[in-house]
Amino acid sequence: MDEAQEILINSLENSGISLPTGVFTIKDLTQAALVSICAQSLHRIDNSLSFPASLPDSMAERFKICSEISSAVKSLGYRGDMSFHQFLYPSEEDSYKLVRFLVEKLSEESEGGKVADQEASLRAEEDQSKLTSRNRADKVDSPGVDPDTQTIRAGLKVLRLKEEVSEPLNTLGEEVFINGSVDGLPQNHEPAVADVFISGSPESNEEVGSTKNVKELTEDSLDSRNNASGNKESSAQNNDGHVTELQQKLASLRDQSSKLRIKIEDLRSQENILMKDLTEKSSESQHLEVEHELLKKAVEMALDDQHPVDFYIEDLNKQVEARRQNLVELEAQWDAVEKSLLEKKRILEESFYAQNPELLEKLQKMKEFELETEAIRSEIQKREEEHSRLSVELKNQPKVASRKSYIQRITEITRNSRKQDADIERILKETRELQMESNSIQDRLHRTYAVVDETVFRDAKKDPVRRQAYMLLTSIHESFDLVSQKILATDRARREATEQEAKLAKTASHSLNIDKLQADLEAIRKENEFLEQQQLRRQP
């Protein structure tokens, strides 16, 4: 029972009902707590119902509010006894029934609200889909050019230009590497190449020397090719040998250049790290210098015997005041400049948006999106706070039985309920059969009595013995009627006694406080006397 009460209290809290402090089960409900819960629940079920969440000091007002709440609960379909008595003098059983009824009504109301929200969301989605389809149709019908397509075309043009520029450079490099000649290169490229190789680190002296050797080899190969022009066969062989040798040298140079690039990148990264360290050290040194100057001035002030400390304090105050005045003047100047800049900005924006109305629409959409984003962030923050609060409450709640135990109990209760339903059905069937048998016996008895009465009465007119027999028959019939009536009355009295005993047990379980009832009665009497005195004073 305690677990069921805790479940009801948790259901109330999940429905949005604020519970008074110290209420964890139905036993903890007081007058004020029960009235507060009922008032909030009725307002959530029906917004037109509004009751105070706390009881007033006046007993008459208390009776009035409790009577109104009880009538509102009855109007919702509550079947049990309901009056101000259940609120002013609550019992555990009545409070449990009332809270269970309110929880059922709140759950029905929440389910109805969810269905309405789903219907509204579906309607909103349909409207949004219609708007998007219309916008797409408008975009298709409009003859203008989308600015995104212009941007894409511009990007394609840039890529084409890059490809056109890179193709002749690549072909030129291939001719140099394949032919083994640098005659095709312009003269102004040689210093650039030399600078690239020389601008490396000091560790790359061997690679630079190798590049010089390659140049010497190329010059020697050119001289040898010019000197061997007379002999075609020897020149062809020499050219082939030089070409293969140059190709090998160029391949090795490519490897060396890639290594040089990697080393240069490493050196640049090291340089960046050193520059960062240098900036940090310089800022730290500046900070230390400022602290040193401050300490130096403080020491001079402390060791100066000619001027007291108040003199330096006044001097510092004057400097602070001068700085403050300077800041005020700068703020005034900045305000003037800011106003002029804002005015210029506004004028430029108006002119710009007048020329490009589409950008104005996009800006408005962006602002709306930012507002929506801010609202979503605030909602997320609220949900996170609520989640943290609920997590703390969950940790503070006492541990209850597992869901498996609840399922087992519910299954057992269902099984017992089915068994009881079968027993009730069997008893009702037997009762109907007995009632039918009793009715048939009574009908037969009435018919038999009517026949016997008529026969005996006819013969009683002729014979006094039969007259006496008729009188005995009539007395027996009357006695039998009296006995049956007594049996029915006894049965009725037993049922009434059982009902009265149940009511007595229920009343005893209410544990009414007679002293409290007497105190409430005295308070009502005093209030009535006070009202009568006021009424007499108002009369002329």
Side-chain angles (χ1 to χ4, degrees):
M1 188 67 180
D2 293 337
E3 294 175 356
Q5 292 179 4
E6 290 178 1
I7 291 170
L8 284 177
I9 296 297
N10 292 330
S11 300
L12 281 175
E13 192 171 4
N14 293 330
S15 299
I17 306 299
S18 61
L19 300 175
T21 56
V23 175
F24 300 104
T25 59
I26 302 297
K27 295 178 182 179
D28 301 331
L29 290 177
T30 58
Q31 297 177 2
L34 187 60
V35 169
S36 175
I37 289 171
C38 291
Q40 295 179 51
S41 302
L42 291 172
H43 183 67
R44 279 192 170 273
I45 294 168
D46 189 358
N47 293 327
S48 62
L49 298 175
S50 179
F51 300 101
S54 60
L55 288 173
D57 296 332
S58 175
M59 287 302 300
E61 292 293 330
R62 288 189 178 188
F63 278 106
K64 182 181 177 182
I65 291 169
C66 293
S67 300
E68 291 176 354
I69 292 175
S70 62
S71 62
V73 172
K74 277 186 178 180
S75 64
L76 292 176
Y78 186 74
R79 295 181 180 179
D81 296 333
M82 180 54 57
S83 63
F84 66 88
H85 187 274
Q86 274 73 21
F87 293 99
L88 291 179
Y89 312 104
S91 64
E92 184 179 351
E93 185 178 357
D94 293 338
S95 300
Y96 177 76
K97 291 180 181 178
L98 179 59
V99 171
R100 187 174 63 182
F101 173 76
L102 292 175
V103 168
E104 291 176 358
K105 289 295 180 181
L106 286 170
S107 62
E108 292 175 0
E109 186 69 21
S110 63
E111 288 176 359
K114 288 180 181 178
V115 171
D117 293 338
Q118 290 177 359
E119 292 178 355
S121 62
L122 289 173
R123 291 175 184 172
E125 288 177 358
E126 290 178 358
D127 296 337
Q128 187 67 24
S129 62
K130 290 179 181 178
L131 288 173
T132 52
S133 62
R134 289 177 184 174
N135 292 330
R136 288 175 182 174
D138 294 338
K139 287 181 180 179
V140 171
D141 296 335
S142 62
V145 180
D146 192 358
D148 295 335
T149 57
Q150 294 179 358
T151 306
I152 293 168
R153 290 176 182 174
L156 290 173
K157 288 180 181 179
V158 172
L159 290 173
R160 287 174 184 172
L161 289 172
K162 287 182 179 179
E163 290 177 357
E164 290 175 358
V165 171
S166 61
E167 283 178 359
L169 292 175
N170 292 329
T171 54
L172 182 60
E174 289 176 357
E175 289 176 358
V176 171
F177 288 138
I178 293 170
N179 296 327
S181 173
V182 293
D183 295 334
L185 290 172
Q187 296 297 324
N188 55 0
H189 282 280
E190 292 180 0
V193 174
D195 292 336
V196 169
F197 285 101
I198 292 168
S199 62
S201 64
E203 298 175 358
S204 60
N205 292 325
E206 295 179 357
E207 286 80 357
V208 174
S210 63
T211 55
K212 292 179 180 179
N213 293 328
V214 170
K215 287 184 178 181
E216 292 175 358
L217 288 172
T218 53
E219 291 176 358
D220 294 337
S221 63
L222 290 173
D223 293 335
S224 62
R225 189 169 56 183
N226 292 324
N227 293 327
S229 59
N231 193 354
K232 293 182 179 179
E233 293 179 357
S234 61
S235 64
Q237 292 177 357
N238 290 328
N239 286 330
D240 293 336
H242 284 298
V243 166
T244 54
E245 186 178 358
L246 285 173
Q247 287 178 354
Q248 292 175 359
K249 293 290 184 180
L250 287 172
S252 63
L253 282 174
R254 286 178 183 175
D255 296 335
Q256 292 174 2
S257 64
S258 62
K259 292 179 181 179
L260 278 174
R261 288 174 185 171
I262 294 169
K263 288 182 180 180
I264 289 167
E265 290 177 357
D266 293 337
L267 289 172
R268 285 178 180 174
S269 62
Q270 291 177 4
E271 183 183 1
N272 292 328
I273 294 169
L274 291 173
M275 289 298 292
K276 288 180 181 178
D277 293 337
L278 181 61
T279 53
E280 290 177 358
K281 294 290 184 181
S282 62
S283 62
E284 187 177 356
S285 64
Q286 289 177 359
H287 182 66
L288 291 173
E289 286 177 359
V290 171
E291 288 184 354
H292 178 69
E293 291 293 332
L294 292 174
L295 290 173
K296 188 176 179 181
K297 289 181 180 179
V299 170
E300 289 177 357
M301 290 179 185
L303 297 176
D304 192 2
D305 296 333
Q306 297 179 359
H307 300 285
V309 179
D310 296 334
F311 173 76
Y312 291 106
I313 293 172
E314 290 177 359
D315 190 10
L316 290 173
N317 289 329
K318 289 179 181 178
Q319 292 179 6
V320 170
E321 190 65 27
R323 294 288 179 87
R324 190 176 296 165
Q325 293 293 332
N326 190 11
L327 286 174
V328 171
E329 292 176 359
L330 290 174
E331 286 179 357
Q333 293 176 4
W334 169 247
D335 290 336
V337 173
E338 187 179 10
K339 286 181 181 178
S340 62
L341 291 174
L342 289 174
E343 186 66 23
K344 289 180 181 179
K345 180 184 176 183
R346 187 180 62 79
I347 294 168
L348 290 173
E349 285 180 352
E350 288 178 356
S351 62
F352 182 72
Y353 292 144
Q355 295 176 0
N356 299 315
E358 295 179 355
L359 293 177
L360 180 60
E361 293 179 359
K362 289 183 179 180
L363 181 63
Q364 291 177 354
K365 289 181 180 179
M366 187 175 69
K367 289 181 179 179
E368 292 176 358
F369 180 73
E370 288 177 355
L371 292 174
E372 187 177 357
T373 305
E374 189 66 26
I376 291 170
R377 285 178 181 173
S378 62
E379 186 68 22
I380 290 170
Q381 187 176 2
K382 289 180 182 178
R383 293 295 175 86
E384 287 178 353
E385 292 176 356
E386 186 178 0
H387 179 266
S388 61
R389 181 178 61 80
L390 292 174
S391 300
V392 172
E393 290 180 359
L394 181 62
K395 290 180 181 178
N396 294 331
Q397 281 185 354
K399 293 183 179 180
V400 296
S402 61
R403 182 175 292 181
K404 186 177 180 181
S405 63
Y406 284 118
I407 293 171
Q408 290 177 356
R409 292 178 186 177
I410 292 168
T411 307
E412 186 177 356
I413 291 169
T414 307
R415 193 183 301 112
N416 293 332
S417 177
R418 289 175 181 173
K419 186 178 179 181
Q420 289 175 0
D421 290 339
D423 294 338
I424 290 168
E425 188 68 27
R426 180 176 55 78
I427 292 168
L428 289 174
K429 185 178 180 181
E430 292 177 356
T431 304
R432 284 194 295 269
E433 291 176 356
L434 290 173
Q435 188 67 34
M436 292 172 64
E437 187 178 357
S438 175
N439 292 332
S440 64
I441 290 170
Q442 286 182 1
D443 291 338
R444 194 185 311 143
L445 180 62
H446 285 301
R447 288 195 302 270
T448 304
Y449 175 73
V451 172
V452 172
D453 182 64
E454 185 179 358
T455 304
V456 174
F457 182 73
R458 191 185 304 118
D459 295 337
K461 294 178 181 180
K462 301 176 182 179
D463 191 358
V465 177
R466 292 181 179 179
R467 189 181 298 117
Q468 189 176 1
Y470 177 73
M471 293 173 66
L472 289 172
L473 177 64
T474 306
S475 63
I476 289 170
H477 182 69
E478 291 176 355
S479 299
F480 181 77
D481 288 337
L482 290 173
V483 169
S484 63
Q485 289 176 5
K486 291 290 184 183
I487 291 171
L488 293 174
T490 304
D491 188 19
R492 193 180 301 111
R494 286 178 181 175
R495 286 200 302 270
E496 290 178 357
T498 305
E499 291 176 359
Q500 294 297 330
E501 287 177 358
K503 288 182 180 180
L504 184 62
K506 185 178 179 181
T507 306
S509 65
H510 287 177
S511 65
L512 292 175
N513 192 352
I514 304 299
D515 296 334
K516 190 175 185 308
L517 287 172
Q518 191 68 29
D520 293 341
L521 182 60
E522 291 295 331
I524 292 171
R525 286 176 180 173
K526 289 180 180 179
E527 289 178 2
N528 290 334
E529 291 176 359
F530 180 72
L531 291 173
E532 288 176 358
Q533 290 176 3
Q534 285 186 347
Q535 189 69 24
L536 291 173
R537 289 175 184 175
R538 290 177 182 176
Q539 290 179 359

